[in-house]
Amino acid sequence: MCGRYASTRDPEDLARHFHVADRPVGESLAPSWNVAPTDDVWAVLERTAHGEDDTAPARRELRPLRWGLVPSWAKDVKIGARMINARVETLHEKPAFRRAFTRRRCLLPADGFYEWQPVKAEDTGRTRKQPYFIHPEDGRVMALAGLYEYWRDPQVKADEDPTAWLMTCTVITTDATDAAGRVHPRMPLALTEDRYDAWLDPAHQDPDELRALLRSPADGRLEVRPVSPAVNDARNDGPHLLDPITP
């Protein structure tokens, strides 16, 4: 699974990397070295503007979404805390994800992600979870494949009210490869730049072709290092969380 990641890059840098022409003014997120479920996260997506029909050209956006997908049919937003990941093997079948898979896909920029490995203490015999930070060796941004969805808050009467709609997202996961596989059997699925356009295009709706884009994680070697258990507490944040330690 992917339960925490780091996202610290400047939004202007992200906009350039993902070829986003216009970033919404006034929307900003602080850098985070400990992004946790239900946090707002940067997402890159393509959609038509509000009020336009489906024939209008889609525009690429960089905008905050809440991590933890809330399906449109959900009665309560609390379900999102259990929908932070979508398995690549079954997302095209699951009711919570299959419509978003064909119509609402996104990329979630990350510096790297955390996974945990059980470690038994020799002196006490107790098992604890040792966190590891996993990131590209070359330091490039990871574009995690994701899905997004709209949820209409029934407590808000007017559709035009900005608070009436909640946009949420989930991270697609796959079997772990390379160094990540030595820590945890699953990992987020990152896309290479040559797949960005096809993945984000809302007009691209063939399930088989879309699944072909997700057959393997992004190329590039991953570096793994043990980090402080301080990352286990979502209230902790800061660059010190990435400092390597001796387990």
Side-chain angles (χ1 to χ4, degrees):
M1 66 174 295
C2 175
R4 300 284 177 82
Y5 66 92
S7 180
T8 67
R9 284 173 165 79
D10 184 271
E12 299 300 332
D13 293 337
L14 293 177
R16 283 192 292 270
H17 177 78
F18 290 100
H19 306 292
V20 177
D22 300 306
R23 186 172 66 86
V25 177
E27 293 187 324
S28 185
L29 297 176
S32 177
W33 291 263
N34 196 6
V35 178
T38 73
D39 284 350
D40 283 349
V41 299
W42 284 122
V44 180
L45 54 93
E46 291 185 3
R47 62 174 189 158
T48 57
H50 179 69
E52 295 182 347
D53 58 37
D54 292 339
T55 62
R59 288 191 283 269
R60 186 167 298 186
E61 301 178 0
L62 175 69
R63 61 179 302 123
L65 303 182
R66 176 170 160 166
W67 184 18
L69 189 138
V70 180
S72 60
W73 42 260
K75 296 181 179 179
D76 194 294
V77 297
K78 294 179 180 179
I79 193 176
R82 306 195 303 272
M83 300 281 186
I84 64 170
N85 292 159
R87 293 176 65 93
V88 68
E89 298 88 350
T90 58
L91 59 81
H92 63 293
E93 302 171 335
K94 297 292 185 180
F97 303 129
R98 61 191 179 195
R99 184 171 175 83
F101 175 56
T102 57
R103 295 176 179 271
R104 287 180 282 277
R105 299 174 299 275
C106 61
L107 295 171
L108 305 171
D111 304 335
F113 60 97
Y114 298 95
E115 293 294 358
W116 284 259
Q117 189 175 63
V119 176
K120 182 176 289 187
E122 294 182 0
D123 53 347
T124 65
R126 294 180 178 178
T127 299
R128 64 179 179 84
K129 289 188 175 182
Q130 170 60 51
Y132 289 81
F133 184 62
I134 305 169
H135 65 98
E137 287 181 350
D138 59 10
R140 293 177 62 85
V141 64
M142 297 186 76
L144 309 184
L147 309 175
Y148 74 96
E149 191 56 274
Y150 298 97
W151 181 76
R152 177 67 166 85
D153 186 346
Q155 301 299 319
V156 181
K157 294 183 179 180
D159 282 349
E160 296 75 16
D161 189 329
T163 64
W165 297 93
L166 178 67
M167 294 181 69
T168 61
C169 62
T170 189
V171 175
I172 296 174
T173 64
T174 187
D175 287 334
T177 60
D178 201 30
R182 298 196 295 270
V183 177
H184 194 274
R186 304 289 295 180
M187 66 180 287
L189 199 159
L191 296 184
T192 50
E193 291 188 44
D194 61 309
R195 299 184 183 184
Y196 289 180
D197 291 348
W199 178 249
L200 294 176
D201 184 0
H204 191 185
Q205 298 183 7
D206 183 278
D208 292 333
E209 292 180 2
L210 292 170
R211 292 183 67 192
L213 296 173
L214 302 173
R215 284 180 179 168
S216 62
D219 296 333
R221 295 180 175 85
L222 296 174
E223 180 180 290
V224 177
R225 62 175 180 268
V227 294
S228 169
V231 75
N232 297 351
D233 189 334
R235 295 170 296 183
N236 294 329
D237 203 353
H240 65 282
L241 294 178
L242 304 187
D243 292 342
I245 66 165
T246 301

